[in-house]
Amino acid sequence: MKRARRGECVACGEKLSPQTIPECGSYFQEVSITFVGLPCLGCTTPGHPRRFANMEFGERLIDAIFETGEFPAGKQRPLGGLSCRNCGALMKTPRRQGGSVSQEFSFPGLPTFSVTVSGPMIRCSDCGMEQIFADRETGHRIGEAMTNAFRQANLNP
C-alpha cells in the first residue's frame, strides 16, 4: 500500500471529501458516549478509514466537553472537588446516580452534531442543574469511550 498524501484516503488514494457518520458510540466501564451526525472526511469506499473533519476537530471536541462549559459536566477544581458547570458552586455532597446528558455542537464550517454521555450524574444543590459527575476518573472514562467510538467508526485523528 502506498503512502497517502494529506487529503487522500490511506487505503485507496482517493481524495477525501466531507461526510457525516450517522451514529457511532461506545462505552468504557460505566460511561457511554454516542455521536449523531459526526462530521468527518472520507472516500466513497465503505469500510475505508475516515479522518477528523479538520486538524483542530479533536482538540475542539475535548475542549467543548471538558473545558469551555458547553457540555453539562461538572468542572474539576484545581485543588479537588467539582464545580457546577452552570453556577460555579462547589458541589458539596455528591449524590451520584446514573443518567444521560446531550448537547449539540456547531463548529465553524462544519455541520451540527450531537453528543450524548451516559454515566454517573450529580445535581447541583445551589441551582439544581443535573450534569455528568466528571471527576478525574469519569473524565478518563469519557475519553476512553470516545477513543473506542472513533475506533469502531473507523475514524482516525
Side-chain angles (χ1 to χ4, degrees):
M1 176 166 65
K2 70 175 191 161
R3 183 181 156 116
R5 289 183 267 170
R6 186 162 224 31
E8 293 181 350
C9 176
V10 296
C12 67
E14 182 182 329
K15 184 175 172 23
L16 299 176
S17 60
Q19 299 179 351
T20 58
I21 300 170
E23 185 172 331
C24 67
S26 191
Y27 64 92
F28 185 78
Q29 296 179 355
E30 81 277 7
V31 173
S32 68
I33 193 163
T34 304
F35 298 95
V36 175
L38 189 68
C40 67
L41 296 172
C43 74
T44 58
T45 306
H48 280 197
R50 300 171 175 136
R51 289 197 176 156
F52 281 161
N54 58 44
M55 294 194 49
E56 299 86 28
F57 184 82
E59 187 176 329
R60 284 191 111 140
L61 182 60
I62 296 292
D63 285 349
I65 292 175
F66 294 108
E67 300 299 325
T68 64
E70 295 175 56
F71 195 80
K75 185 175 171 99
Q76 188 73 46
R77 295 170 65 102
L79 299 176
L82 289 177
S83 293
C84 175
R85 187 57 78 168
N86 186 49
C87 71
L90 174 63
M91 294 205 244
K92 303 167 187 86
T93 53
R95 285 190 222 140
R96 293 167 38 153
Q97 76 253 8
S100 296
V101 293
S102 296
Q103 180 71 38
E104 283 194 346
F105 293 101
S106 182
F107 297 160
L110 299 175
T112 300
F113 64 99
S114 69
V115 178
T116 301
V117 175
S118 299
M121 301 285 290
I122 187 169
R123 179 185 300 271
C124 177
S125 58
D126 285 10
C127 73
M129 179 184 180
E130 286 196 338
Q131 52 207 289
I132 290 291
F133 184 81
D135 62 355
R136 283 184 180 86
E137 287 178 27
T138 302
H140 170 74
R141 292 174 183 144
I142 292 169
E144 290 294 324
M146 287 173 67
T147 299
N148 292 341
F150 295 154
R151 189 176 301 123
Q152 289 179 12
N154 207 9
L155 179 63
N156 302 311

